[in-house]
Amino acid sequence: FYGRSGTMSAGVYLVSPQTAAYSAITGVISNPAECEYEDAQMPESYITDDSMLILPDLDPAREIIQGPNIKPFPLNVPLTKDICGKVMIKVEDNITTDHIMPAGAKILPYRSNIVKISEFCFSQIDAGFHDRCKQYNGGIIVARENYGQGSSREHAALAPMYLGIKAVFANSYARIHRQNLINSGIIPCLFTSLEDYTSIDLLDELELTDSKNPEVGKPITVVNHTKNHTFTMKHDLTEKEIRMIKAGGLLKMIQSEEQV
Protein backbone atom coordinates (compact mmCIF):
# COMPACT_ATOMS: atom_id res chain seq x y z
CA PHE A 1 0.00 0.00 0.00
CA TYR A 2 1.62 3.17 -1.28
CA GLY A 3 2.56 5.54 1.54
CA ARG A 4 0.35 3.78 4.08
CA SER A 5 2.94 3.67 6.87
CA GLY A 6 3.93 7.32 6.54
CA THR A 7 6.94 6.85 4.26
CA MET A 8 6.87 6.37 0.49
CA SER A 9 9.56 3.66 0.54
CA ALA A 10 8.01 1.33 3.14
CA GLY A 11 6.44 -1.95 2.11
CA VAL A 12 3.07 -2.59 3.75
CA TYR A 13 1.23 -5.79 2.85
CA LEU A 14 -2.26 -7.21 3.38
CA VAL A 15 -2.07 -10.84 4.54
CA SER A 16 -4.22 -13.46 6.25
CA PRO A 17 -4.19 -13.77 10.07
CA GLN A 18 -2.31 -17.07 9.73
CA THR A 19 0.38 -15.46 7.58
CA ALA A 20 0.66 -12.50 9.96
CA ALA A 21 1.03 -14.77 13.01
CA TYR A 22 3.57 -17.08 11.41
CA SER A 23 5.54 -14.17 9.96
CA ALA A 24 5.71 -12.61 13.44
CA ILE A 25 7.40 -15.80 14.63
CA THR A 26 9.83 -16.13 11.71
CA GLY A 27 10.61 -12.42 11.36
CA VAL A 28 9.92 -12.35 7.59
CA ILE A 29 6.79 -12.79 5.48
CA SER A 30 6.35 -16.57 5.49
CA ASN A 31 3.95 -19.22 4.26
CA PRO A 32 1.93 -20.61 7.21
CA ALA A 33 1.56 -23.91 5.34
CA GLU A 34 5.26 -24.44 6.06
CA CYS A 35 4.80 -24.04 9.82
CA GLU A 36 6.38 -26.94 11.71
CA TYR A 37 4.86 -26.14 15.13
CA GLU A 38 2.59 -29.18 15.10
CA ASP A 39 2.14 -29.19 18.89
CA ALA A 40 0.80 -25.62 19.03
CA GLN A 41 -2.51 -25.42 20.89
CA MET A 42 -5.16 -22.75 21.20
CA PRO A 43 -5.42 -21.30 24.74
CA GLU A 44 -8.37 -22.31 26.88
CA SER A 45 -9.23 -18.66 27.42
CA TYR A 46 -8.00 -15.23 26.41
CA ILE A 47 -7.10 -12.29 28.66
CA THR A 48 -9.61 -9.52 28.09
CA ASP A 49 -8.82 -6.06 29.42
CA ASP A 50 -11.70 -3.63 28.88
CA SER A 51 -10.70 -1.23 31.64
CA MET A 52 -10.11 1.53 29.09
CA LEU A 53 -13.63 1.25 27.64
CA ILE A 54 -16.45 3.61 28.60
CA LEU A 55 -19.77 1.84 28.28
CA PRO A 56 -22.37 3.72 26.23
CA ASP A 57 -25.24 5.60 27.82
CA LEU A 58 -28.32 4.10 26.20
CA ASP A 59 -30.65 6.92 27.25
CA PRO A 60 -32.27 8.03 23.93
CA ALA A 61 -32.73 11.55 25.29
CA ARG A 62 -29.01 12.03 25.81
CA GLU A 63 -27.37 14.49 23.42
CA ILE A 64 -24.68 12.99 21.23
CA ILE A 65 -21.64 15.24 21.34
CA GLN A 66 -19.68 15.14 18.09
CA GLY A 67 -16.02 15.97 17.74
CA PRO A 68 -14.82 18.77 15.43
CA ASN A 69 -14.13 16.33 12.59
CA ILE A 70 -17.51 14.58 12.63
CA LYS A 71 -19.30 16.31 9.76
CA PRO A 72 -22.56 15.56 7.89
CA PHE A 73 -22.26 12.87 5.24
CA PRO A 74 -22.25 14.46 1.75
CA LEU A 75 -24.79 13.25 -0.80
CA ASN A 76 -24.73 13.48 -4.57
CA VAL A 77 -27.56 14.96 -6.62
CA PRO A 78 -29.78 13.16 -9.14
CA LEU A 79 -28.54 12.95 -12.72
CA THR A 80 -30.92 15.28 -14.56
CA LYS A 81 -28.81 16.25 -17.59
CA ASP A 82 -26.02 14.80 -19.70
CA ILE A 83 -22.60 14.87 -18.08
CA CYS A 84 -20.26 17.55 -19.38
CA GLY A 85 -16.98 18.49 -17.73
CA LYS A 86 -13.25 18.91 -18.05
CA VAL A 87 -10.66 16.20 -17.41
CA MET A 88 -9.46 16.79 -13.85
CA ILE A 89 -6.65 14.22 -13.93
CA LYS A 90 -5.19 11.65 -16.34
CA VAL A 91 -3.39 8.67 -14.78
CA GLU A 92 -1.80 5.38 -15.83
CA ASP A 93 -2.41 1.70 -14.93
CA ASN A 94 -2.92 0.26 -11.43
CA ILE A 95 -3.96 3.42 -9.61
CA THR A 96 -4.72 2.28 -6.05
CA THR A 97 -7.19 3.70 -3.59
CA ASP A 98 -4.12 4.92 -1.68
CA HIS A 99 -3.18 7.03 -4.71
CA ILE A 100 -6.72 8.39 -4.87
CA MET A 101 -7.29 8.91 -1.14
CA PRO A 102 -4.04 8.63 0.85
CA ALA A 103 -3.95 7.24 4.37
CA GLY A 104 -1.50 7.95 7.16
CA ALA A 105 -1.51 9.80 10.48
CA LYS A 106 -1.88 13.21 8.83
CA ILE A 107 -5.03 12.33 6.91
CA LEU A 108 -6.91 9.57 8.76
CA PRO A 109 -8.13 11.88 11.57
CA TYR A 110 -10.40 13.46 8.94
CA ARG A 111 -12.04 10.20 7.82
CA SER A 112 -15.42 11.41 9.17
CA ASN A 113 -14.96 14.81 7.56
CA ILE A 114 -15.27 14.31 3.80
CA VAL A 115 -14.97 18.04 3.11
CA LYS A 116 -11.56 18.21 4.78
CA ILE A 117 -10.24 14.85 3.65
CA SER A 118 -11.06 15.71 0.03
CA GLU A 119 -8.24 18.27 0.16
CA PHE A 120 -5.81 15.32 0.06
CA CYS A 121 -7.46 13.55 -2.89
CA PHE A 122 -4.76 12.46 -5.41
CA SER A 123 -2.32 14.70 -3.52
CA GLN A 124 0.55 12.20 -3.75
CA ILE A 125 0.52 12.19 -7.55
CA ASP A 126 -1.11 15.52 -8.44
CA ALA A 127 -1.10 18.23 -5.78
CA GLY A 128 -3.34 20.45 -7.90
CA PHE A 129 -6.27 18.03 -8.21
CA HIS A 130 -8.37 19.42 -5.34
CA ASP A 131 -8.03 23.06 -6.39
CA ARG A 132 -8.64 22.16 -10.04
CA CYS A 133 -11.90 20.44 -9.10
CA LYS A 134 -12.96 23.47 -7.09
CA GLN A 135 -12.11 25.81 -9.96
CA TYR A 136 -14.04 23.85 -12.62
CA ASN A 137 -16.78 22.37 -10.41
CA GLY A 138 -15.47 18.86 -10.85
CA GLY A 139 -15.44 16.86 -14.04
CA ILE A 140 -14.02 13.54 -15.24
CA ILE A 141 -11.15 11.23 -14.24
CA VAL A 142 -9.26 9.39 -17.01
CA ALA A 143 -7.32 6.21 -16.22
CA ARG A 144 -6.22 2.91 -17.75
CA GLU A 145 -6.13 -0.67 -16.42
CA ASN A 146 -7.19 -1.82 -12.93
CA TYR A 147 -8.31 1.56 -11.62
CA GLY A 148 -9.04 1.58 -7.87
CA GLN A 149 -7.14 -1.57 -6.85
CA GLY A 150 -5.94 -2.19 -3.31
CA SER A 151 -7.74 -1.16 -0.14
CA SER A 152 -11.52 -1.03 -0.50
CA ARG A 153 -11.90 2.31 1.29
CA GLU A 154 -15.07 4.14 0.41
CA HIS A 155 -13.39 7.54 0.73
CA ALA A 156 -11.67 6.97 -2.63
CA ALA A 157 -15.12 7.40 -4.20
CA LEU A 158 -16.70 9.78 -1.66
CA ALA A 159 -13.99 12.45 -1.91
CA PRO A 160 -14.08 12.63 -5.75
CA MET A 161 -17.89 12.68 -5.58
CA TYR A 162 -17.79 15.61 -3.16
CA LEU A 163 -15.38 17.40 -5.51
CA GLY A 164 -17.85 17.07 -8.38
CA ILE A 165 -16.47 14.08 -10.30
CA LYS A 166 -19.33 12.66 -12.38
CA ALA A 167 -17.60 9.93 -14.43
CA VAL A 168 -14.42 7.89 -14.63
CA PHE A 169 -13.00 6.60 -17.92
CA ALA A 170 -10.81 3.49 -17.66
CA ASN A 171 -10.00 0.22 -19.40
CA SER A 172 -10.89 -1.80 -16.29
CA TYR A 173 -11.76 -1.36 -12.61
CA ALA A 174 -11.06 -3.14 -9.36
CA ARG A 175 -14.34 -4.78 -8.39
CA ILE A 176 -15.03 -3.10 -5.04
CA HIS A 177 -13.98 0.37 -6.16
CA ARG A 178 -16.22 0.08 -9.22
CA GLN A 179 -19.17 -0.56 -6.90
CA ASN A 180 -18.14 2.30 -4.59
CA LEU A 181 -18.14 4.67 -7.57
CA ILE A 182 -21.66 3.59 -8.50
CA ASN A 183 -22.80 3.84 -4.88
CA SER A 184 -21.60 7.45 -4.98
CA GLY A 185 -23.39 8.20 -8.26
CA ILE A 186 -20.24 8.24 -10.43
CA ILE A 187 -20.42 6.41 -13.80
CA PRO A 188 -17.53 3.94 -14.39
CA CYS A 189 -17.15 4.06 -18.19
CA LEU A 190 -15.01 1.65 -20.21
CA PHE A 191 -12.78 2.54 -23.15
CA THR A 192 -13.41 0.68 -26.39
CA SER A 193 -10.03 1.69 -27.82
CA LEU A 194 -6.63 2.59 -26.33
CA GLU A 195 -6.42 5.34 -28.95
CA ASP A 196 -9.30 7.13 -27.24
CA TYR A 197 -7.33 7.18 -23.96
CA THR A 198 -4.27 8.51 -25.79
CA SER A 199 -6.28 11.27 -27.47
CA ILE A 200 -7.45 12.82 -24.18
CA ASP A 201 -5.42 15.46 -22.34
CA LEU A 202 -5.79 17.25 -19.02
CA LEU A 203 -8.57 19.89 -19.07
CA ASP A 204 -10.09 18.62 -22.32
CA GLU A 205 -13.83 19.31 -22.19
CA LEU A 206 -15.83 16.10 -22.62
CA GLU A 207 -19.57 15.67 -23.04
CA LEU A 208 -21.29 12.32 -22.52
CA THR A 209 -24.24 12.86 -24.83
CA ASP A 210 -26.20 9.73 -23.83
CA SER A 211 -25.47 9.75 -20.11
CA LYS A 212 -28.66 11.27 -18.68
CA ASN A 213 -30.59 8.05 -19.26
CA PRO A 214 -28.06 5.18 -19.54
CA GLU A 215 -29.44 1.84 -20.70
CA VAL A 216 -28.16 -1.69 -20.09
CA GLY A 217 -25.71 -2.65 -22.83
CA LYS A 218 -26.06 0.65 -24.69
CA PRO A 219 -22.80 2.55 -25.33
CA ILE A 220 -22.28 6.20 -24.41
CA THR A 221 -21.17 8.73 -27.02
CA VAL A 222 -18.42 11.11 -25.89
CA VAL A 223 -17.67 14.39 -27.63
CA ASN A 224 -14.26 15.94 -26.94
CA HIS A 225 -15.12 19.57 -27.61
CA THR A 226 -11.51 20.65 -27.11
CA LYS A 227 -10.18 18.28 -29.81
CA ASN A 228 -13.34 18.23 -31.97
CA HIS A 229 -13.31 14.44 -31.69
CA THR A 230 -16.12 11.96 -31.02
CA PHE A 231 -15.73 8.42 -29.68
CA THR A 232 -17.75 5.73 -27.88
CA MET A 233 -17.48 4.41 -24.33
CA LYS A 234 -19.00 1.20 -22.98
CA HIS A 235 -20.44 0.46 -19.55
CA ASP A 236 -21.51 -2.74 -17.78
CA LEU A 237 -24.13 -1.23 -15.48
CA THR A 238 -27.07 -3.38 -14.40
CA GLU A 239 -30.63 -2.06 -14.15
CA LYS A 240 -30.25 -1.53 -10.40
CA GLU A 241 -26.91 0.24 -10.84
CA ILE A 242 -28.45 2.52 -13.45
CA ARG A 243 -31.14 3.46 -10.94
CA MET A 244 -28.38 4.33 -8.47
CA ILE A 245 -26.57 6.50 -11.01
CA LYS A 246 -29.72 8.36 -12.01
CA ALA A 247 -30.74 8.89 -8.37
CA GLY A 248 -27.30 10.24 -7.41
CA GLY A 249 -26.01 7.16 -5.62
CA LEU A 250 -27.18 4.34 -3.39
CA LEU A 251 -28.33 6.44 -0.42
CA LYS A 252 -30.25 8.83 -2.68
CA MET A 253 -31.89 5.89 -4.43
CA ILE A 254 -33.01 4.40 -1.10
CA GLN A 255 -34.39 7.76 -0.02
CA SER A 256 -36.31 8.26 -3.26
CA GLU A 257 -37.77 4.75 -3.23
CA GLU A 258 -38.85 5.09 0.40
CA GLN A 259 -40.80 8.21 -0.52
CA VAL A 260 -42.78 6.46 -3.26
Side-chain angles (χ1 to χ4, degrees):
F1 292 108
Y2 185 76
R4 176 70 66 87
S5 70
T7 62
M8 294 300 103
S9 60
V12 182
Y13 301 87
L14 179 66
V15 300
S16 69
Q18 294 90 337
T19 301
Y22 186 46
S23 300
I25 295 172
T26 62
V28 295
I29 296 179
S30 304
N31 182 357
E34 300 172 355
C35 178
E36 298 179 355
Y37 297 96
E38 297 180 358
D39 295 331
Q41 300 291 327
M42 297 294 287
E44 294 182 0
S45 63
Y46 293 91
I47 298 174
T48 301
D49 181 4
D50 57 5
S51 61
M52 297 295 289
L53 298 180
I54 300 176
L55 297 179
D57 184 343
L58 300 180
D59 182 358
R62 184 187 179 192
E63 178 186 4
I64 298 176
I65 300 175
Q66 297 181 340
N69 277 314
I70 307 295
K71 300 298 183 183
F73 191 84
L75 294 175
N76 208 338
V77 295
L79 186 61
T80 58
K81 58 183 179 180
D82 284 340
I83 294 171
C84 185
K86 292 182 178 294
V87 176
M88 293 291 98
I89 191 171
K90 183 178 180 180
V91 293
E92 298 291 332
D93 297 337
N94 300 318
I95 292 298
T96 72
T97 51
D98 276 51
H99 289 113
I100 303 168
M101 194 65 261
K106 179 181 177 181
I107 300 171
L108 285 179
Y110 303 116
R111 60 190 177 273
S112 297
N113 184 347
I114 302 301
V115 175
K116 179 64 178 179
I117 207 171
S118 71
E119 296 177 8
F120 301 93
C121 194
F122 281 109
S123 60
Q124 293 179 338
I125 57 177
D126 184 350
F129 177 79
H130 172 270
D131 291 346
R132 194 178 303 125
C133 287
K134 287 295 186 179
Q135 179 181 355
Y136 294 104
N137 196 29
I140 297 166
I141 293 171
V142 176
R144 287 183 56 171
E145 299 287 351
N146 198 24
Y147 180 74
Q149 66 153 330
S151 169
S152 61
R153 83 184 57 147
E154 197 175 18
H155 293 72
L158 291 174
M161 179 272 288
Y162 170 74
L163 293 173
I165 296 299
K166 296 299 183 183
V168 178
F169 292 3
N171 286 356
S172 62
Y173 297 85
R175 176 180 59 86
I176 296 177
H177 185 66
R178 172 192 173 277
Q179 192 60 57
N180 285 340
L181 289 173
I182 296 169
N183 290 349
S184 297
I186 299 173
I187 299 181
C189 298
L190 295 160
F191 282 111
T192 58
S193 169
L194 180 59
E195 294 179 357
D196 296 329
Y197 168 86
T198 305
S199 71
I200 300 173
D201 291 315
L202 186 68
L203 294 181
D204 279 1
E205 185 172 354
L206 307 180
E207 181 179 3
L208 286 66
T209 61
D210 310 311
S211 58
K212 180 174 66 174
N213 291 297
E215 299 179 18
V216 173
K218 183 179 179 180
I220 295 175
T221 301
V222 180
V223 179
N224 187 329
H225 291 290
T226 304
K227 303 285 179 59
N228 193 26
H229 171 62
T230 300
F231 57 97
T232 300
M233 299 289 292
K234 299 183 297 183
H235 69 81
D236 55 2
L237 299 171
T238 65
E239 288 284 1
K240 181 178 180 180
E241 290 170 341
I242 286 174
R243 295 206 314 273
M244 290 187 207
I245 293 291
K246 293 176 68 173
L250 177 58
L251 293 179
K252 295 289 288 187
M253 182 187 76
I254 293 173
Q255 288 178 344
S256 63
E257 293 182 351
E258 286 180 344
Q259 295 171 358
V260 174

